[in-house]
Amino acid sequence: MDKKEIKMAKATNVEAVIKTAKPIKSEQEKVVRKFEPEDLVLVRSITQGTLLLPGSKSQILYTWESYGDIVQVEYRDLYTLKASRSGYLYKPYFIIEDEELLENPHWSDLKKLYDSLITTSDINTIINLPVADFEETLKSLPEGFKDAIKMEVSTRLDAGTFDSISKVKIVDKICGTDLFNLL
């Protein structure tokens, strides 16, 4: 064999080895955790006031006293809510705080929803929008955040710190409330 034939044979052998080689798994690949039914998951309320959730599988009554409270909820109860596309998860009334759970492809729709949600500071920003923008924004919000806005407006009306009659009428129209009578 001459040098050219040897090079071709080596190249062919290398190609054959590459084709049959199994890919090496990177240490950085994420391992998806399998949650057990009784595993506890942190869940934060984004609902003004008290929020109650009866656990359909565990028979536990989960209670959040106010906006921002965090309670541990059994995975099986969250899974049941997801399977039934419950408003607790999809309006939403609370947010799952466990990033490991949300990284699971089965929960990717909720992660996408959460990424699009507003924060508490955004509630103040929305309330301070010009009237036309306030109305359009309020129409586009998920139900859970509409509830948060109407509760904040109601709280400010009670405290005497909200003075926009136009925005009160918009909240009444979109959220089905009667806050105007509080004025």
Side-chain angles (χ1 to χ4, degrees):
M1 273 184 154
D2 66 7
K3 289 183 180 181
K4 187 176 182 181
E5 290 175 340
I6 292 173
K7 282 184 179 179
M8 287 182 66
K10 284 182 180 178
T12 305
N13 287 340
V14 169
E15 289 173 7
V17 169
I18 290 172
K19 287 179 183 176
T20 60
K22 293 181 181 176
I24 299 171
K25 289 190 177 182
S26 166
E27 289 180 29
Q28 295 178 352
E29 284 184 31
K30 291 186 179 181
V31 176
V32 178
R33 176 179 165 200
K34 181 182 182 323
F35 283 81
E36 297 300 321
E38 295 83 18
D39 285 349
L40 296 174
V41 178
L42 294 177
V43 177
R44 180 173 42 94
S45 171
I46 58 169
T47 302
Q48 295 286 353
T50 302
L51 175 65
L52 302 173
L53 169 68
S56 61
K57 294 293 183 183
S58 68
Q59 302 304 309
I60 296 171
L61 180 62
Y62 302 102
T63 305
W64 294 262
E65 293 300 325
S66 63
Y67 186 96
D69 282 358
I70 297 177
V71 171
Q72 293 181 329
V73 177
E74 286 190 6
Y75 175 77
R76 61 184 167 176
D77 290 325
L78 292 173
Y79 191 87
T80 301
L81 291 172
K82 181 162 180 14
S84 66
R85 300 212 37 93
S86 169
Y88 281 98
L89 290 174
Y90 289 97
K91 285 192 176 181
Y93 295 116
F94 55 67
I95 294 177
I96 296 170
E97 292 285 314
D98 190 316
E99 287 299 320
E100 194 173 16
L101 175 67
L102 295 173
E103 290 300 323
N104 184 314
H106 179 74
W107 296 83
S108 63
D109 59 334
L110 279 178
K111 182 166 176 50
K112 184 185 253 185
L113 173 67
Y114 294 168
D115 289 344
S116 71
L117 292 179
I118 61 175
T119 64
T120 307
S121 62
D122 293 330
I123 290 174
N124 292 327
T125 303
I126 291 168
I127 287 175
N128 292 326
L129 287 171
V131 175
D133 293 338
F134 175 76
E135 182 171 10
E136 289 306 311
T137 302
L138 188 58
K139 284 179 186 177
S140 68
L141 293 176
E143 290 301 315
F145 279 100
K146 285 180 184 173
D147 289 345
I149 295 286
K150 74 181 178 188
M151 291 297 291
E152 183 63 26
V153 169
S154 174
T155 301
R156 290 183 184 192
L157 284 172
D158 285 344
T161 59
F162 195 76
D163 61 356
S164 176
I165 294 172
S166 301
K167 290 181 184 177
V168 172
K169 288 180 179 178
I170 291 169
V171 171
D172 284 347
K173 180 175 84 175
I174 293 172
C175 299
T177 58
D178 195 16
L179 297 176
F180 187 73
N181 285 330
L182 293 176
L183 295 175

